[in-house]
């Protein structure tokens, strides 16, 4: 597909995003979950509660090579039991524009993932969830996927020909208008020899990347017909088995508007950490949208 065709797709997606976001301002129901902690959706952390709904996001990341890394993903969730147990599927994509001295462009599908999560502790203002996700090798090994790997945050979603198994835990707590969420993930990549084309991994077939982070939020009562949450999120990804270990850190301040049916967020992502990350990317801009279907 030629790049100007992809550009048209992105413009259409943004137009649809803009049209869908309008109901936020007419939605009188504020955000609700199962009885327990009221934690707004963060940008990149797995939420403790399950829903039935759809989620999509798009990111524009400025690179040091005068191009843009464009990452987007789509997700479908099914709530099986009272927001405490659910299953989901995620579909990631990555594109690159005007990259390098030859101004190269590309757009690639990532690794489809299937997951499930279950609340193991649900108190009046706190929740603890465990989950498990499997990444199925489906990534196309093009420049877009390689650029997404180099950004490091979502290596498992774009590693060529690699199966990834991810056990994780998510914790949330809220008190009044304040909330906090913390996550811990273990990305166990198998058949991952091809990562050595981007990183100094040592060429081993099995690699471990530990992801951890938190999000603090405040949702003041602004006497509006929709919730408004201000979020500060930090996500870190650290290689535990690479010969040359890498840590990427991603700070994302942002805001989220919405109610029980529609929730939209916008943020600015600031990467830092190891030189492999900071030498590749400068700053990113993210938009996301969650649409719930009744539960």
């Amino acid at each position: 597909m030629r790049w100007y065709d992809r550009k048209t797709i992105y413009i259409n997606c943004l137009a649809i995003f803009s049209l869908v976001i309008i109901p936020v301002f007419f939605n009188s129901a504020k955000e609700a979950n199962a009885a327990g902690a009221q934690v707004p959706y963060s940008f990149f952390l797995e939420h403790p509660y399950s829903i039935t709904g759809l989620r999509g996001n798009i990111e524009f990341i400025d690179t040091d090579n005068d191009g843009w890394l464009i990452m987007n993903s789509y997700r479908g969730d099914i709530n099986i039991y009272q927001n405490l147990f659910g299953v989901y599927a995620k579909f990631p994509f990555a594109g690159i524009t005007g990259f390098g001295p030859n101004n190269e462009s590309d757009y690639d599908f990532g690794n489809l993932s299937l997951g499930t999560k279950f609340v193991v502790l649900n108190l009046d203002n706190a929740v603890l969830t465990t989950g498990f996700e499997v990444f199925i090798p489906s990534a196309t090994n093009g420049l877009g996927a390689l650029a997404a790997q180099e950004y490091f945050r979502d290596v498992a979603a774009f590693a060529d020909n690699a199966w990834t198994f991810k056990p994780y835990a998510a914790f949330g707590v809220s008190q009044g208008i304040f909330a906090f969420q913390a996550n811990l993930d273990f990305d166990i990549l198998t058949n991952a020899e091809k990562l050595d084309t981007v990183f100094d991994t040592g060429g081993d077939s099995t690699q471990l990347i530990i992801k951890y982070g938190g999000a603090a939020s405040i949702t003041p009562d602004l006497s509006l017909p929709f919730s408004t949450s201000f979020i500060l999120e930090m996500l870190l990804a650290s290689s535990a088995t690479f010969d040359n270990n890498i840590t990427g850190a991603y700070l994302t301040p942002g805001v989220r508007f919405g109610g029980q049916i529609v929730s939209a967020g916008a943020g600015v992502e600031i990467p830092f950490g190891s030189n492999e990350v900071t030498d590749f990317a400068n700053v990113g801009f993210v938009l996301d949208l969650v649409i719930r279907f009744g539960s």
Side-chain angles (χ1 to χ4, degrees):
M1 183 183 292
R2 291 167 296 181
W3 175 247
Y4 62 79
D5 292 330
R6 300 188 191 111
K7 186 184 296 184
T8 301
I9 292 173
Y10 277 120
I11 292 172
N12 291 338
C13 289
L14 288 174
I16 294 170
F17 186 99
S18 300
L19 290 174
V20 175
I21 198 175
I22 293 173
V24 171
F25 300 98
F26 300 96
N27 180 19
S28 60
K30 293 193 175 182
E31 185 154 1
N33 283 310
Q38 299 300 302
V39 181
Y41 293 104
S42 61
F43 294 101
F44 304 109
L45 302 178
E46 182 67 37
H47 196 275
Y49 289 112
S50 298
I51 66 168
T52 296
L54 300 173
R55 183 169 186 170
N57 68 23
I58 185 167
E59 277 186 274
F60 300 89
I61 301 163
D62 182 31
T63 75
D64 279 343
N65 290 283
D66 298 324
W68 290 86
L69 170 63
I70 303 174
M71 300 179 68
N72 61 298
S73 67
Y74 303 98
R75 170 176 176 153
D77 285 74
I78 299 176
N79 167 41
I80 294 177
Y81 178 72
Q82 296 184 355
N83 303 116
L84 303 178
F85 172 50
V87 295
Y88 57 88
K90 295 193 293 189
F91 308 86
F93 299 84
I96 195 78
T97 70
F99 187 77
N102 296 323
N103 290 320
E104 295 181 79
S105 298
D106 187 39
Y107 184 66
D108 295 313
F109 181 56
N111 293 321
L112 164 70
S113 66
L114 304 174
T116 183
K117 57 185 178 179
F118 178 73
V119 173
V120 296
L121 179 65
N122 191 43
L123 305 177
D124 288 343
N125 64 344
V127 57
L128 176 63
T129 296
T130 59
F132 189 79
E133 191 170 336
V134 177
F135 293 78
I136 301 168
S138 56
T140 50
N141 189 30
L143 186 61
L146 291 173
Q149 290 181 46
E150 197 161 347
Y151 194 53
F152 196 66
R153 190 195 64 207
D154 297 318
V155 169
F158 295 95
D160 184 37
N161 206 37
W163 287 83
T164 299
F165 305 93
K166 182 175 81 172
Y168 64 87
F171 173 75
V173 61
S174 66
Q175 185 64 49
I177 64 174
F178 301 100
F180 177 76
Q181 178 181 347
N183 284 51
L184 177 62
D185 306 351
F186 297 92
D187 289 356
I188 305 166
L189 292 87
T190 64
N191 198 33
E193 295 91 340
K194 290 185 179 181
L195 283 181
D196 210 44
T197 61
V198 181
F199 308 107
D200 182 10
T201 68
D204 295 332
S205 62
T206 301
Q207 302 288 346
L208 172 63
I209 296 175
I210 302 173
K211 297 174 70 174
Y212 46 99
S217 62
I218 181 172
T219 308
D221 187 356
L222 300 179
S223 299
L224 296 171
F226 51 87
S227 294
T228 302
S229 299
F230 301 94
I231 301 169
L232 181 63
E233 177 181 330
M234 172 71 82
L235 176 63
L236 298 98
S238 298
S239 61
T241 55
F242 290 10
D243 278 9
N244 181 23
N245 286 325
I246 299 170
T247 293
Y250 310 87
L251 179 67
T252 309
V255 63
R256 179 168 292 281
F257 306 100
Q260 185 176 4
I261 306 302
V262 178
S263 179
V268 177
E269 186 178 47
I270 305 165
F272 57 98
S274 297
N275 290 338
E276 288 85 352
V277 176
T278 57
D279 289 346
F280 174 74
N282 297 310
V283 66
F285 307 93
V286 57
L287 299 170
D288 79 10
L289 180 69
V290 181
I291 304 175
R292 294 179 61 171
F293 303 116
S295 64

